[in-house]
Amino acid sequence: MSKIVIALGGNALQSKNSAPTAEGQLEVVRKTCESLAQICADGHEIAIVHGNGPQVGRILLASETAKDVTPAMPFDVCGAMSQGYIGYQIQQALRYALRLKNINCPVLTVATQMVVDKDDPAFKNPTKPIGAFYTEEEATELQKTKGYTMKEDAGRGWRRVVASPIPKKIIEIEAIKKLWDSSVVISCGGGGIPIVENMDGNLEGVAAVIDKDFAAELLSEEVEADILMILTEVDKVAINWGKENQESISSMSLKKATQYIDEGQFAPGSMLPKVEAAMKFVRAYPQKKAIITSLEHAIDALNGETGTVITFA
Protein backbone atom coordinates (compact mmCIF):
# COMPACT_ATOMS: atom_id res chain seq x y z
CA MET A 1 0.00 0.00 0.00
CA SER A 2 1.34 3.43 -0.96
CA LYS A 3 0.50 6.99 0.03
CA ILE A 4 -0.04 8.85 -3.22
CA VAL A 5 -0.64 12.52 -3.93
CA ILE A 6 -2.36 12.81 -7.30
CA ALA A 7 -2.22 16.03 -9.31
CA LEU A 8 -5.06 16.13 -11.82
CA GLY A 9 -4.52 17.95 -15.11
CA GLY A 10 -7.16 19.96 -16.92
CA ASN A 11 -8.26 16.96 -19.00
CA ALA A 12 -9.40 15.27 -15.78
CA LEU A 13 -12.01 18.01 -15.33
CA GLN A 14 -12.95 18.90 -18.87
CA SER A 15 -12.43 17.40 -22.29
CA LYS A 16 -12.33 18.91 -25.75
CA ASN A 17 -15.59 17.12 -26.50
CA SER A 18 -17.50 18.32 -23.43
CA ALA A 19 -19.36 21.59 -23.03
CA PRO A 20 -17.62 24.22 -20.86
CA THR A 21 -20.47 24.06 -18.36
CA ALA A 22 -20.84 22.73 -14.85
CA GLU A 23 -22.85 19.82 -16.25
CA GLY A 24 -20.24 19.08 -18.90
CA GLN A 25 -17.49 19.19 -16.31
CA LEU A 26 -19.34 16.85 -13.96
CA GLU A 27 -19.64 14.27 -16.74
CA VAL A 28 -15.85 14.27 -17.20
CA VAL A 29 -15.21 14.28 -13.44
CA ARG A 30 -17.33 11.14 -13.07
CA LYS A 31 -15.09 9.28 -15.51
CA THR A 32 -12.02 10.60 -13.72
CA CYS A 33 -13.31 9.38 -10.39
CA GLU A 34 -13.78 5.85 -11.72
CA SER A 35 -10.00 5.68 -12.13
CA LEU A 36 -9.35 7.29 -8.75
CA ALA A 37 -11.71 4.85 -7.04
CA GLN A 38 -9.89 1.91 -8.61
CA ILE A 39 -6.58 3.18 -7.23
CA CYS A 40 -8.19 3.21 -3.79
CA ALA A 41 -9.65 -0.27 -4.38
CA ASP A 42 -6.14 -1.50 -5.17
CA GLY A 43 -5.17 -0.60 -1.62
CA HIS A 44 -3.56 2.80 -2.03
CA GLU A 45 -4.24 5.89 0.05
CA ILE A 46 -4.68 9.02 -2.02
CA ALA A 47 -5.01 12.76 -1.76
CA ILE A 48 -6.11 14.90 -4.70
CA VAL A 49 -4.87 18.22 -6.06
CA HIS A 50 -6.54 19.74 -9.12
CA GLY A 51 -6.01 22.63 -11.49
CA ASN A 52 -8.53 25.43 -12.04
CA GLY A 53 -7.30 27.47 -15.03
CA PRO A 54 -10.43 27.57 -17.23
CA GLN A 55 -12.79 27.54 -14.24
CA VAL A 56 -11.29 30.49 -12.38
CA GLY A 57 -11.11 32.36 -15.69
CA ARG A 58 -14.83 31.90 -16.24
CA ILE A 59 -15.66 32.90 -12.66
CA LEU A 60 -13.57 36.04 -13.08
CA LEU A 61 -15.17 36.80 -16.45
CA ALA A 62 -18.68 36.38 -15.02
CA SER A 63 -17.80 38.62 -12.10
CA GLU A 64 -16.31 41.33 -14.28
CA THR A 65 -19.18 41.15 -16.80
CA ALA A 66 -21.72 41.71 -14.02
CA LYS A 67 -19.76 44.55 -12.40
CA ASP A 68 -22.54 47.05 -13.14
CA VAL A 69 -25.00 44.89 -11.21
CA THR A 70 -22.85 43.54 -8.37
CA PRO A 71 -19.25 44.32 -7.36
CA ALA A 72 -16.58 42.20 -9.06
CA MET A 73 -14.81 39.72 -6.80
CA PRO A 74 -11.02 39.95 -6.28
CA PHE A 75 -8.92 37.25 -7.89
CA ASP A 76 -8.09 35.34 -4.70
CA VAL A 77 -11.82 35.09 -3.91
CA CYS A 78 -12.49 33.76 -7.41
CA GLY A 79 -9.82 31.12 -6.76
CA ALA A 80 -11.53 30.13 -3.53
CA MET A 81 -14.85 29.85 -5.37
CA SER A 82 -13.27 27.54 -7.95
CA GLN A 83 -11.88 25.32 -5.17
CA GLY A 84 -15.37 24.99 -3.76
CA TYR A 85 -17.24 24.02 -6.89
CA ILE A 86 -14.58 21.75 -8.39
CA GLY A 87 -14.09 20.08 -5.02
CA TYR A 88 -17.84 19.61 -4.65
CA GLN A 89 -18.07 17.81 -7.99
CA ILE A 90 -15.11 15.54 -7.20
CA GLN A 91 -16.58 14.78 -3.76
CA GLN A 92 -19.91 13.80 -5.26
CA ALA A 93 -18.49 11.71 -8.10
CA LEU A 94 -15.76 9.99 -6.09
CA ARG A 95 -18.09 9.12 -3.23
CA TYR A 96 -20.37 7.37 -5.73
CA ALA A 97 -17.49 5.59 -7.47
CA LEU A 98 -16.10 4.38 -4.14
CA ARG A 99 -19.49 3.11 -2.98
CA LEU A 100 -19.76 1.01 -6.15
CA LYS A 101 -16.59 -0.72 -4.97
CA ASN A 102 -17.96 -1.14 -1.43
CA ILE A 103 -15.58 1.46 -0.05
CA ASN A 104 -17.26 3.69 2.50
CA CYS A 105 -14.75 6.50 2.82
CA PRO A 106 -15.56 10.18 3.30
CA VAL A 107 -14.39 12.51 0.53
CA LEU A 108 -13.98 16.16 1.45
CA THR A 109 -12.54 19.40 0.19
CA VAL A 110 -10.35 21.72 2.22
CA ALA A 111 -10.32 25.36 1.13
CA THR A 112 -6.56 25.68 1.09
CA GLN A 113 -4.51 28.83 1.51
CA MET A 114 -0.98 28.76 0.08
CA VAL A 115 1.67 31.14 1.33
CA VAL A 116 3.87 32.72 -1.31
CA ASP A 117 6.79 35.10 -0.88
CA LYS A 118 5.69 38.70 -1.47
CA ASP A 119 9.18 39.30 -2.87
CA ASP A 120 8.97 36.40 -5.32
CA PRO A 121 10.46 37.62 -8.64
CA ALA A 122 7.27 36.45 -10.38
CA PHE A 123 5.41 39.48 -8.97
CA LYS A 124 7.75 41.80 -10.86
CA ASN A 125 7.08 40.01 -14.13
CA PRO A 126 3.48 38.69 -14.25
CA THR A 127 3.07 36.27 -17.14
CA LYS A 128 -0.06 34.19 -16.47
CA PRO A 129 -2.99 35.41 -18.63
CA ILE A 130 -6.45 35.21 -17.06
CA GLY A 131 -9.95 36.34 -17.83
CA ALA A 132 -11.40 38.19 -20.80
CA PHE A 133 -9.86 39.83 -23.85
CA TYR A 134 -9.95 43.63 -24.09
CA THR A 135 -9.16 46.32 -26.62
CA GLU A 136 -6.01 48.35 -26.07
CA GLU A 137 -8.12 51.29 -24.91
CA GLU A 138 -9.99 49.13 -22.38
CA ALA A 139 -6.72 47.62 -21.19
CA THR A 140 -5.23 51.07 -20.62
CA GLU A 141 -8.27 52.08 -18.60
CA LEU A 142 -8.06 48.95 -16.45
CA GLN A 143 -4.40 49.64 -15.76
CA LYS A 144 -5.30 53.14 -14.60
CA THR A 145 -8.42 52.34 -12.57
CA LYS A 146 -7.68 48.85 -11.25
CA GLY A 147 -3.91 48.73 -11.27
CA TYR A 148 -3.98 45.55 -13.39
CA THR A 149 -1.00 44.48 -15.47
CA MET A 150 -2.24 44.08 -19.03
CA LYS A 151 -0.41 42.44 -21.94
CA GLU A 152 -1.24 41.81 -25.58
CA ASP A 153 -2.00 38.11 -26.16
CA ALA A 154 -0.94 36.67 -29.53
CA GLY A 155 -2.86 39.20 -31.59
CA ARG A 156 -6.17 38.26 -29.99
CA GLY A 157 -6.47 41.29 -27.76
CA TRP A 158 -5.24 42.43 -24.36
CA ARG A 159 -5.59 40.37 -21.19
CA ARG A 160 -4.83 40.74 -17.54
CA VAL A 161 -1.73 38.86 -16.44
CA VAL A 162 -0.86 37.81 -12.90
CA ALA A 163 2.20 36.34 -11.22
CA SER A 164 2.88 32.63 -10.82
CA PRO A 165 4.95 32.47 -7.61
CA ILE A 166 6.43 29.36 -6.00
CA PRO A 167 4.33 27.93 -3.11
CA LYS A 168 6.05 28.07 0.27
CA LYS A 169 3.64 26.87 2.95
CA ILE A 170 0.22 25.24 3.20
CA ILE A 171 -1.73 26.95 5.97
CA GLU A 172 -4.16 24.06 6.50
CA ILE A 173 -1.52 21.31 6.38
CA GLU A 174 -2.04 20.06 9.95
CA ALA A 175 -5.75 19.56 9.32
CA ILE A 176 -4.98 17.73 6.07
CA LYS A 177 -2.58 15.41 7.90
CA LYS A 178 -5.15 14.62 10.58
CA LEU A 179 -7.80 13.84 7.95
CA TRP A 180 -5.54 11.57 5.89
CA ASP A 181 -6.20 8.30 7.71
CA SER A 182 -9.98 8.64 7.63
CA SER A 183 -10.76 10.45 4.37
CA VAL A 184 -9.84 11.21 0.80
CA VAL A 185 -8.87 14.86 0.97
CA ILE A 186 -9.07 17.27 -1.96
CA SER A 187 -6.80 20.22 -1.22
CA CYS A 188 -4.54 22.87 -2.77
CA GLY A 189 -7.06 23.27 -5.59
CA GLY A 190 -5.74 25.42 -8.41
CA GLY A 191 -2.40 25.47 -6.61
CA GLY A 192 -4.02 26.91 -3.50
CA ILE A 193 -5.47 30.34 -2.74
CA PRO A 194 -2.39 32.61 -2.97
CA ILE A 195 -1.72 34.59 0.18
CA VAL A 196 1.12 36.46 1.84
CA GLU A 197 1.85 36.64 5.55
CA ASN A 198 2.08 40.18 6.87
CA MET A 199 4.46 41.29 9.61
CA ASP A 200 1.62 41.13 12.15
CA GLY A 201 0.90 37.50 11.22
CA ASN A 202 -2.30 38.26 9.34
CA LEU A 203 -2.92 36.60 5.98
CA GLU A 204 -3.75 38.59 2.86
CA GLY A 205 -4.91 37.28 -0.49
CA VAL A 206 -2.97 38.32 -3.59
CA ALA A 207 -3.64 38.18 -7.33
CA ALA A 208 -1.60 35.21 -8.51
CA VAL A 209 -1.87 31.72 -9.98
CA ILE A 210 0.17 29.01 -8.28
CA ASP A 211 1.17 26.05 -10.42
CA LYS A 212 -0.83 23.05 -9.19
CA ASP A 213 2.05 20.63 -9.84
CA PHE A 214 4.34 22.56 -7.49
CA ALA A 215 1.51 22.73 -4.95
CA ALA A 216 1.05 18.94 -5.20
CA GLU A 217 4.79 18.49 -4.74
CA LEU A 218 4.79 20.58 -1.57
CA LEU A 219 1.83 18.60 -0.25
CA SER A 220 3.67 15.35 -1.06
CA GLU A 221 6.63 16.48 1.02
CA GLU A 222 4.46 17.59 3.93
CA VAL A 223 2.48 14.33 4.18
CA GLU A 224 5.57 12.22 3.37
CA ALA A 225 3.87 10.56 0.43
CA ASP A 226 5.46 7.53 -1.19
CA ILE A 227 4.59 8.67 -4.71
CA LEU A 228 3.84 11.97 -6.38
CA MET A 229 1.69 11.19 -9.42
CA ILE A 230 1.14 13.94 -11.97
CA LEU A 231 -1.61 13.11 -14.45
CA THR A 232 -1.73 14.82 -17.82
CA GLU A 233 -2.80 14.10 -21.40
CA VAL A 234 0.13 11.90 -22.44
CA ASP A 235 1.20 8.46 -21.21
CA LYS A 236 4.89 9.37 -21.05
CA VAL A 237 7.14 12.39 -21.12
CA ALA A 238 8.78 12.78 -24.53
CA ILE A 239 11.86 14.50 -25.90
CA ASN A 240 12.02 16.03 -29.38
CA TRP A 241 8.28 16.59 -29.08
CA GLY A 242 6.48 16.87 -32.41
CA LYS A 243 9.55 15.94 -34.44
CA GLU A 244 10.31 12.82 -36.48
CA ASN A 245 12.71 11.64 -33.80
CA GLN A 246 10.25 12.12 -30.92
CA GLU A 247 11.09 9.66 -28.15
CA SER A 248 9.02 8.63 -25.13
CA ILE A 249 10.94 8.32 -21.86
CA SER A 250 10.14 5.55 -19.39
CA SER A 251 12.47 6.72 -16.63
CA MET A 252 14.66 9.70 -15.85
CA SER A 253 17.23 10.29 -13.16
CA LEU A 254 17.66 13.80 -11.80
CA LYS A 255 20.85 14.08 -13.85
CA LYS A 256 19.13 13.06 -17.08
CA ALA A 257 16.12 15.29 -16.43
CA THR A 258 18.44 18.25 -15.83
CA GLN A 259 20.17 17.53 -19.13
CA TYR A 260 16.85 17.52 -21.00
CA ILE A 261 15.80 20.79 -19.33
CA ASP A 262 19.10 22.41 -20.31
CA GLU A 263 18.43 21.26 -23.89
CA GLY A 264 15.03 22.98 -23.82
CA GLN A 265 13.16 19.69 -24.31
CA PHE A 266 10.16 20.59 -22.14
CA ALA A 267 7.78 23.45 -22.89
CA PRO A 268 7.36 26.14 -20.20
CA GLY A 269 3.83 26.21 -18.85
CA SER A 270 3.25 22.65 -20.08
CA MET A 271 5.59 19.73 -19.39
CA LEU A 272 8.42 21.72 -17.80
CA PRO A 273 6.69 22.48 -14.47
CA LYS A 274 5.57 18.85 -14.21
CA VAL A 275 9.11 17.58 -14.62
CA GLU A 276 10.51 20.24 -12.28
CA ALA A 277 7.93 19.41 -9.59
CA ALA A 278 8.73 15.69 -9.91
CA MET A 279 12.44 16.44 -9.60
CA LYS A 280 11.88 18.56 -6.50
CA PHE A 281 10.05 15.70 -4.79
CA VAL A 282 12.67 13.02 -5.44
CA ARG A 283 15.40 15.48 -4.52
CA ALA A 284 13.71 15.88 -1.11
CA TYR A 285 13.05 12.12 -0.81
CA PRO A 286 15.77 10.26 -2.76
CA GLN A 287 14.31 6.86 -1.91
CA LYS A 288 10.90 7.71 -3.39
CA LYS A 289 9.65 8.38 -6.90
CA ALA A 290 7.42 10.60 -8.99
CA ILE A 291 5.35 9.44 -11.95
CA ILE A 292 4.08 11.47 -14.89
CA THR A 293 1.44 9.75 -17.00
CA SER A 294 -2.09 10.01 -18.35
CA LEU A 295 -5.25 9.64 -16.31
CA GLU A 296 -6.36 6.73 -18.49
CA HIS A 297 -3.20 4.77 -17.68
CA ALA A 298 -2.65 5.82 -14.06
CA ILE A 299 -3.20 2.31 -12.73
CA ASP A 300 -0.92 0.81 -15.38
CA ALA A 301 1.75 3.34 -14.41
CA LEU A 302 1.49 2.38 -10.74
CA ASN A 303 2.04 -1.22 -11.85
CA GLY A 304 5.16 -0.21 -13.77
CA GLU A 305 3.63 -0.84 -17.20
CA THR A 306 3.75 2.73 -18.56
CA GLY A 307 4.39 6.31 -17.53
CA THR A 308 7.60 8.21 -16.90
CA VAL A 309 9.23 7.56 -13.55
CA ILE A 310 11.56 10.22 -12.13
CA THR A 311 14.08 8.90 -9.63
CA PHE A 312 17.00 10.36 -7.72
CA ALA A 313 19.63 8.31 -9.59
Side-chain angles (χ1 to χ4, degrees), residues 26-93:
L26 181 57
E27 182 179 347
V28 177
V29 168
R30 284 171 177 156
K31 292 294 294 181
T32 294
C33 288
E34 291 176 10
S35 297
L36 298 179
Q38 186 58 54
I39 293 173
C40 294
D42 289 343
H44 302 293
E45 298 177 354
I46 70 171
I48 300 166
V49 176
H50 61 78
N52 72 342
Q55 294 83 4
V56 75
R58 287 196 293 271
I59 291 171
L60 184 66
L61 177 59
S63 181
E64 291 180 344
T65 301
K67 65 182 182 299
D68 294 332
V69 178
T70 184
M73 294 292 104
F75 188 73
D76 58 310
V77 173
C78 293
M81 292 168 71
S82 75
Q83 281 192 356
Y85 105 78
I86 295 171
Y88 154 65
Q89 288 193 331
I90 296 174
Q91 284 178 219
Q92 188 182 88

Side-chain angles (χ1 to χ4, degrees), residues 1-301:
M1 179 178 65
S2 298
K3 293 178 65 174
I4 307 171
V5 171
I6 299 175
L8 297 177
N11 63 314
L13 302 178
Q14 289 191 331
S15 74
K16 297 174 183 177
N17 300 321
S18 65
T21 62
E23 294 80 8
Q25 178 173 294
L26 181 57
E27 182 179 347
V28 177
V29 168
R30 284 171 177 156
K31 292 294 294 181
T32 294
C33 288
E34 291 176 10
S35 297
L36 298 179
Q38 186 58 54
I39 293 173
C40 294
D42 289 343
H44 302 293
E45 298 177 354
I46 70 171
I48 300 166
V49 176
H50 61 78
N52 72 342
Q55 294 83 4
V56 75
R58 287 196 293 271
I59 291 171
L60 184 66
L61 177 59
S63 181
E64 291 180 344
T65 301
K67 65 182 182 299
D68 294 332
V69 178
T70 184
M73 294 292 104
F75 188 73
D76 58 310
V77 173
C78 293
M81 292 168 71
S82 75
Q83 281 192 356
Y85 105 78
I86 295 171
Y88 154 65
Q89 288 193 331
I90 296 174
Q91 284 178 219
Q92 188 182 88
L94 185 53
R95 177 180 180 272
Y96 178 75
L98 288 170
R99 285 166 64 90
L100 289 179
K101 296 183 180 299
N102 295 315
I103 300 173
N104 186 20
C105 179
V107 184
L108 54 92
T109 300
V110 175
T112 317
Q113 301 172 94
M114 187 73 75
V115 176
V116 299
D117 186 347
K118 64 181 179 180
D119 296 320
D120 190 301
F123 285 110
K124 295 181 180 179
N125 182 33
T127 57
K128 187 74 173 179
I130 58 169
F133 289 91
Y134 298 92
T135 65
E136 185 172 1
E137 292 75 19
E138 289 171 331
T140 300
E141 183 65 18
L142 285 169
Q143 288 183 130
K144 290 180 180 178
T145 60
K146 297 286 189 179
Y148 292 172
T149 300
M150 308 294 291
K151 290 185 179 180
E152 199 276 331
D153 188 346
R156 297 178 295 176
W158 290 71
R159 298 179 76 187
R160 181 184 179 188
V161 291
V162 298
S164 185
I166 297 297
K168 296 294 185 181
K169 183 171 72 173
I170 303 168
I171 292 295
E172 290 76 20
I173 189 60
E174 292 305 319
I176 294 169
K177 288 178 180 178
K178 290 177 181 178
L179 290 165
W180 184 285
D181 290 336
S182 61
S183 312
V184 175
V185 181
I186 304 157
S187 67
C188 306
I193 304 164
I195 60 167
V196 294
E197 287 187 289
N198 295 326
M199 294 294 292
D200 59 6
N202 285 332
L203 306 176
E204 180 182 354
V206 293
V209 174
I210 300 168
D211 188 281
K212 67 101 175 41
D213 298 314
F214 283 111
E217 189 283 325
L218 180 57
L219 178 63
S220 298
E221 286 194 42
E222 291 286 355
V223 300
E224 299 184 359
D226 299 304
I227 299 171
L228 167 61
M229 172 169 271
I230 299 175
L231 300 182
T232 183
E233 294 187 273
V234 295
D235 295 342
K236 294 183 179 182
V237 177
I239 58 173
N240 304 315
W241 178 260
K243 301 178 181 178
E244 290 184 1
N245 60 339
Q246 178 175 317
E247 178 185 351
S248 295
I249 305 299
S250 296
S251 64
M252 285 190 292
S253 65
L254 288 181
K255 181 178 180 181
K256 200 67 177 178
T258 300
Q259 175 192 322
Y260 290 146
I261 290 174
D262 291 343
E263 293 174 358
Q265 292 284 0
F266 309 128
S270 179
M271 188 56 72
L272 181 59
K274 295 172 174 54
V275 172
E276 289 180 329
M279 293 171 67
K280 189 173 184 294
F281 178 64
V282 299
R283 193 177 288 119
Y285 289 97
Q287 74 280 19
K288 299 182 179 182
K289 64 182 179 182
I291 301 172
I292 301 174
T293 192
S294 65
L295 171 66
E296 292 77 12
H297 292 95
I299 295 168
D300 295 333

